[in-house]
């Protein structure tokens, strides 16, 4: 089973250039009998190359999310400096774009899937953040101000 | 430990094993890392814990921290009483009594260490408790013993009416959810969060009571929220501290106090077990491969786990039995160990693959249709907008839209976000207003989003809705020159007609409601509405001297009627005859009624009838409108003649005169 679910999401953040109480998230998962962490990497790397270009590099760092294990955060090589380090990537050469991981066996148990038979990966990413990186937009509020001079660029 | 790799390489390595180093800075020949510790790893909230990770990540050998010097209390017997009301609230509590200390400033080495950790130096006693907290992750607290009443400490829930004066001097009322440390008569600290002002160690303190304990994480969190204070102690207790560290940390603190502040270690009291056994978890190497998609040899897996200081023995059927130390409270099942193996093995060394998915999916084409609709509307020159789903009550009231009951937000962040919008109209008008004020000559926008409302029975409803708003002057440069056209209701109708036509929706109708509104009807049901927004409403949205027209359509209803199937109709074999009718009609006769009557009267020979011109002006009397209808007659069987068509067309015209009081021009 492979599912992608985009939608508006909400959180109690005060609005500023990089925060919004409403934004867009794309989440998805793949569940099957032979789904592995290698598949997680392959699919998300394909996604990153499709959105940011085929020269983009991607790396996965261990992280913690309650519903996945092993969990990862994924970075792409900075699209501004190509990984050398600049102000956009905070001199690190990498930009964090999504969280992902192998679906936790407890999640399978809770929905009646035997965890010894099924594995799966799940991911979630902020669409607004990805659009900001891709197009070089420096203020998330521009997405919701709907200035015609902004809209006409897309 | 001796670290053989360069500091920046180490930072990179730690990041790639999950301890993300956010920044590095050099100070006095040392490197200071600022790391993000994920909430599942409280063991990383200490130097000792980070050292264990560095050892596992780099393969460097961890030197054991020297054991305590065997410090023992001077008195075997002591009258001081310690009791813990409920072992679940506080599984272990240890206190040490040290008498005759001299409170003073800390030596430079201690002050610098704390400074590097971002911690303010207070005095030698407090600094030692903080230093040990950072070293082992075990929070400690020192009370001024002489300020405690009645030679007794009780760990208990706060009683009704009790309060505590914080170190900041603020009196806080305590609740039964608060775990407190109390002396004979009153609470002297909120467990794990902060001590009270009354028992604080200051320059006059001579005798201290040193606390080391483990508290229930939930109770510490409650206490922290009650006080509204974040502390390094609470941060650790909330995430879980390692009980096996407790005695070692407490003794080392006592030793440091004796060496930096003097005094003598007189007595101790402990309630609860100081040690808890290692956990045993079984790991099957085949599971590692099944989850990660890479076969890591069993010897390599063992090496990784023993690098993490887990003890491994062989279990049944090729499985390992792994003994996990108490500092790793996050590890409870096989998948936790698989993550450990993956982390240290390196996510970058796991290959990438594309899964084979045999999808038996029910493909919901709503998304496709929405994107089709967006293409149609942008093709018509409209811009898609994205406005907030949370709006203020005032703009809903100001817009005067007949919307169903709105759903309110509990604890809204601001008044602008107090309800879930039951209509797109206020957001669209605001958007028009913003752009007109940015000196845009015209605004033509649409939004596709859900609106929210409460049904009569109080059930929340979500409806996918299309909103369109047009305003201002459209200027086009045509072959004949410039054409200026002010956006109005007819444009709105045109947009919706084009949309329906492209979606294959045919039998829809527009019913006017007065002169400035209309309903969109399909199958006898209202599926949308047009509105020419009133001047007074526009003024409340800061729009002056402009017309704004807005349409809202229920996309849930529209999508049900979509028919994208096409069937070819053979091209006509015989030529047809066209006739135009120019007439003056009363204003309230609708174009739909006019065309319906023409079709009725003309019958099957009428191929097409459409409005080809519309005007009002000086030649047209008031209360009327001028319309030209182009009729096209054709037969599928023969070439029609003028003689055949003229009487038919006359009959049509007569009917228009008689039934619609049309006058011909």
């Amino acid at each position: 089973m492979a599912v992608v679910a985009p939608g508006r999401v909400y959180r109690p953040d005060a609005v500023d250039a990089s925060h919004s109480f409403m934004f867009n998230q794309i989440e998805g998962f793949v569940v099957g009998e032979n789904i592995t962490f290698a598949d997680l990497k392959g699919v998300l790397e394909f996604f990153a190359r499709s959105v940011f270009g085929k020269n983009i590099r991607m790396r996965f760092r261990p992280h913690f999310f309650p519903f996945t294990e092993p969990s990862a955060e994924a970075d792409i090589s900075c699209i501004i400096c190509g990984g050398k380090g600049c102000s956009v990537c905070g001199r690190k050469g990498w930009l964090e774009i999504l969280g992902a991981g192998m679906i936790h066996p407890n999640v399978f148990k809770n929905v009646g899937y035997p965890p010894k038979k099924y594995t799966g990966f799940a991911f979630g990413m902020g669409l607004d953040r990805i659009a900001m990186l891709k197009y070089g937009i420096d203020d998330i509020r521009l997405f919701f101000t709907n200035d015609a001079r902004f809209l006409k660029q897309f | 430990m001796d670290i053989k790799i360069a500091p920046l390489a180490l930072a990179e390595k730690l990041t790639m094993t999950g301890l993300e180093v956010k920044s590095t800075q050099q100070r006095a020949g040392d490197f200071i890392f600022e790391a993000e510790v994920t909430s599942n790893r409280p063991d990383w909230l200490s130097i000792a814990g980070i050292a264990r990770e560095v050892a596992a990540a780099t393969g460097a050998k961890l030197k054991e921290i020297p054991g305590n010097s065997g410090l023992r209390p001077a008195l075997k017997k002591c009258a001081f009483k310690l009791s813990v009301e409920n072992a679940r609230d506080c599984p272990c509590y240890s206190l040490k009594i040290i008498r005759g200390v001299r409170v003073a400033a800390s030596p430079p080495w201690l002050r610098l260490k704390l400074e590097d950790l971002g911690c303010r130096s207070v005095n030698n006693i407090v600094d030692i408790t903080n230093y040990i907290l950072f070293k082992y992750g075990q929070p400690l607290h020192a009370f001024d013993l002489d300020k405690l009443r009645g030679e007794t400490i009780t760990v208990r829930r706060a009683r009704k009416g009790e309060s505590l004066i914080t170190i900041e001097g603020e009196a806080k009322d305590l609740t039964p959810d608060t775990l407190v440390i109390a002396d004979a008569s009153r609470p002297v600290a909120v467990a794990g969060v902060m001590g009270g002002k009354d028992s604080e160690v200051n320059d006059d303190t001579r005798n201290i009571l040193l606390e080391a304990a483990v508290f229930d994480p939930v109770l510490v969190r409650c206490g922290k929220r009650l006080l509204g204070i974040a502390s390094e102690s609470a941060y650790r207790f909330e995430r879980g501290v390692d009980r096996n560290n407790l005695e070692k940390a407490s003794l080392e603190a006592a030793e440091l106090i004796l060496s930096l502040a003097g005094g003598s270690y007189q007595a101790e009291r402990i309630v609860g077990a100081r040690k808890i056994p290692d956990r045993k978890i079984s790991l099957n190497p085949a599971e590692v491969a099944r989850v990660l998609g890479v076969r890591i040899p069993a010897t390599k897996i063992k090496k990784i786990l023993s690098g993490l200081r887990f003890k491994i023995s062989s279990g049944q059927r090729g499985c390992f039995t792994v003994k996990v130390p108490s500092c790793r409270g996050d590890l409870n099942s096989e998948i936790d160990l698989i993550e450990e193996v993956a982390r240290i093995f390196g996510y970058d060394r796991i290959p990438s693959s594309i899964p084979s998915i045999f999808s038996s999916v029910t493909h919901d084409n709503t998304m496709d249709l929405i994107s089709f609709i967006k293409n149609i509307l942008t093709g018509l020159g409209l811009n898609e907008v994205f406005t907030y789903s949370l709006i203020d009550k005032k703009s809903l009231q100001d817009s005067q839209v007949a919307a169903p009951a709105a759903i309110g937000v509990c604890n809204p962040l601001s008044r602008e976000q107090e309800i879930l919008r039951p209509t797109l109209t206020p957001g669209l008008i605001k958007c028009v207003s913003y752009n007109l004020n940015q000196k845009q000559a015209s605004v033509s926008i649409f939004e596709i989003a859900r609106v929210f409302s409460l049904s009569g029975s109080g059930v929340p409803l979500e409806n996918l809705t299309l909103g369109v708003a047009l305003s201002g002057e459209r200027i086009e440069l045509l072959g004949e020159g410039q054409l200026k056209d002010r956006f109005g209701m007819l444009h709105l109708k045109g947009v919706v007609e084009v949309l329906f036509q492209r979606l294959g929706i045919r039998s829809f109708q527009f019913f006017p409601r007065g002169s400035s509104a209309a309903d969109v009807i399909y199958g006898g049901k209202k599926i949308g509405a047009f509105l020419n927004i009133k001047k007074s409403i526009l003024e409340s949205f800061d729009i002056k001297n402009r017309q704004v027209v807005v349409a809202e359509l229920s996309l849930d209803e529209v999508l049900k009627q979509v028919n994208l199937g096409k069937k070819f109709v053979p091209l006509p074999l015989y030529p047809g005859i066209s006739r135009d009718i120019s007439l003056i009609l009363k204003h309230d006769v609708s174009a739909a009624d006019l065309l319906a009557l023409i079709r009725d009267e003309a019958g099957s020979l009428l191929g097409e009838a459409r409005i080809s011109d519309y005007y009002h002006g000086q030649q047209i009397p008031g209360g009327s409108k001028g319309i030209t209808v182009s009729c096209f007659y054709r037969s599928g069987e023969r070439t029609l003649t003028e003689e055949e068509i003229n009487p038919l067309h006359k009959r049509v015209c007569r009917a228009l005169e008689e039934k619609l009081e049309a006058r011909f021009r």
Side-chain angles (χ1 to χ4, degrees), chain B residues 428-449:
Chain B
L428 291 173
I429 301 177
K430 273 191 178 171
C431 202
V432 169
S433 167
Y434 173 86
N435 280 296
L436 291 177
N437 288 327
Q438 298 296 318
K439 304 287 175 245
Q440 295 290 325
S442 71
V443 184
S444 50
I445 52 175
F446 72 93
E447 177 165 26
I448 293 177

Side-chain angles (χ1 to χ4, degrees), chain B residues 596-621:
Chain B
L597 181 63
I598 293 172
R599 276 192 210 103
D600 275 0
E601 290 296 328
S604 62
L605 289 181
L606 182 71
E608 187 192 20
R610 62 183 177 86
I611 310 284
S612 60
D613 203 359
Y614 164 69
Y615 46 94
H616 39 210
Q618 281 178 348
Q619 303 98 322
I620 310 295

Side-chain angles (χ1 to χ4, degrees), chain B residues 271-315:
Chain B
V271 171
R274 276 172 254 191
K275 295 270 171 197
I276 48 169
D278 292 352
R279 265 187 315 284
K280 277 186 196 165
I281 304 169
S282 172
L283 175 68
N284 182 350
E287 275 296 294
V288 177
R290 187 175 79 100
V291 173
L292 300 184
V294 61
R295 200 159 284 284
I296 304 174
T299 49
K300 177 75 187 162
I301 292 175
K302 277 188 182 172
K303 198 168 164 230
I304 289 171
L305 295 175
S306 53
L308 286 159
R309 304 167 73 75
F310 304 163
K311 295 187 195 82
I312 303 143
S313 53
S314 295

